[in-house]
Amino acid sequence: MAQLAGHDIGYIALTGALHAIGSSGGPPQIPLNLLGDFGGGGTYLVIGVLAALREADRTGRGQVVDAAIVDGTAHLLAGTHMMLATGTWQDERGVNLVDGGAPFYAVYETSDGRHMAVGALEPKFYAELLVVLGLDEDPAAQHDRTRWPLLRERIAGAFTGRTQSEWAQAFSASDACVAPVMSLREAAGHPHLKARGTVVEHDGVLQPAPAPRFSRSPTTLGSPPPVPGLHTADVLKAWGVGDAEALLTSGAAVQTAAV
């Protein structure tokens, strides 16, 4: 299929990843284009290039890096395939441990229509979740699937009793692994991300800071995004157009001033 057109949604559909994401009984949910284009594609390409450069340093020989998006996405599913092979994962959506099937690894609505993300997988985290929510459930019965429907109702009922802000404060110093679901703009102001400078405003544009970070090689944000026509003269000269200035003076080409 190398010569056929495609996009992220189709690539992850072929690998089984799209099938695995979504609520039980509902349609597959699209994880933006993070899983295929960026995760299975771009990330694996960078890994491949770095590995090939390392090998070239050692052997003096180069090689082609074949980083298909379907390959990388399928490789990201290695852990899921492991659970499928051992019978601990069902090949359907929303009924498994980390796909929203477990009531202690799910998203719940608060009284103001916002949401909280719950990831209390381990026993001690689950026990802490029950304490903060004020539920008298037996922590030892966490994996009793027969109780999951009732447990989900009780957890959902508890979260509807307060606003997202109130729950965020209640869980702020807790190891229950619960976090407020922030919007893209709100994320920049979250105390943890703000302290790290994870999302910043640079030249009037809200954007993520460079990642990862290095102890000896500090990363910096580049120049501001150009407006159309900002580099007209430079581009014309790079193309070997000898009369670039005359074209600009006559109005045949337009150079935009920096803002």
Side-chain angles (χ1 to χ4, degrees):
M1 299 175 67
Q3 303 306 314
L4 296 177
H7 274 299
D8 179 288
I9 190 172
Y11 307 142
I12 67 173
L14 292 180
T15 64
L18 184 59
H19 170 81
I21 303 172
S23 302
S24 177
Q29 296 296 309
I30 303 170
L32 304 183
N33 62 332
L34 302 178
L35 183 53
D37 288 347
F38 301 144
T43 300
Y44 274 81
L45 176 59
V46 171
I47 293 171
V49 169
L50 293 176
L53 287 172
R54 173 62 175 156
E55 200 271 344
D57 285 340
R58 299 172 62 186
T59 67
R61 300 174 60 195
Q63 59 188 304
V64 173
V65 178
D66 181 356
I69 294 177
V70 291
D71 294 351
T73 303
H75 194 261
L76 287 170
L77 289 166
T80 307
H81 274 284
M82 178 273 294
M83 291 186 285
L84 183 66
T86 58
T88 55
W89 185 275
Q90 299 182 52
D91 199 10
E92 57 181 294
R93 288 182 294 283
V95 297
N96 298 288
L97 196 61
V98 293
D99 64 356
F104 44 84
Y105 198 91
V107 175
Y108 292 95
E109 187 173 352
T110 55
S111 64
D112 54 347
R114 305 298 301 279
H115 294 87
M116 298 293 291
V118 176
L121 284 175
E122 291 77 8
K124 65 177 182 179
F125 302 152
Y126 176 64
E128 180 70 12
L129 171 69
L130 297 178
V131 170
V132 179
L133 290 179
L135 298 179
D136 58 351
E137 291 285 331
D138 179 7
Q142 177 181 4
H143 293 283
D144 181 357
R145 286 177 175 260
T146 64
R147 288 192 51 79
W148 279 9
L150 177 59
L151 179 59
R152 186 181 299 276
E153 289 182 10
R154 296 200 67 194
I155 294 176
F159 274 114
T160 58
R162 299 186 192 179
T163 65
Q164 184 196 63
S165 177
E166 291 171 332
W167 280 121
Q169 180 60 37
F171 283 102
S172 62
S174 166
D175 279 337
C177 300
V178 176
V181 179
M182 314 295 287
S183 74
L184 292 174
R185 295 189 183 279
E186 289 173 334
H190 186 274
H192 181 74
L193 275 66
K194 189 173 183 179
R196 287 189 55 81
T198 301
V199 181
V200 298
E201 184 172 316
H202 183 64
D203 291 306
V205 178
L206 190 67
Q207 57 193 281
R213 305 179 191 188
F214 304 92
S215 61
R216 293 190 299 103
S217 305
T219 54
T220 58
L221 290 167
S223 58
V227 296
L230 180 60
H231 300 118
T232 300
D234 295 336
V235 171
L236 290 175
K237 292 174 182 177
W239 287 346
V241 178
D243 57 348
E245 296 300 332
L247 291 173
L248 293 172
T249 301
S250 66
V254 178
Q255 172 81 23
T256 301
V259 293

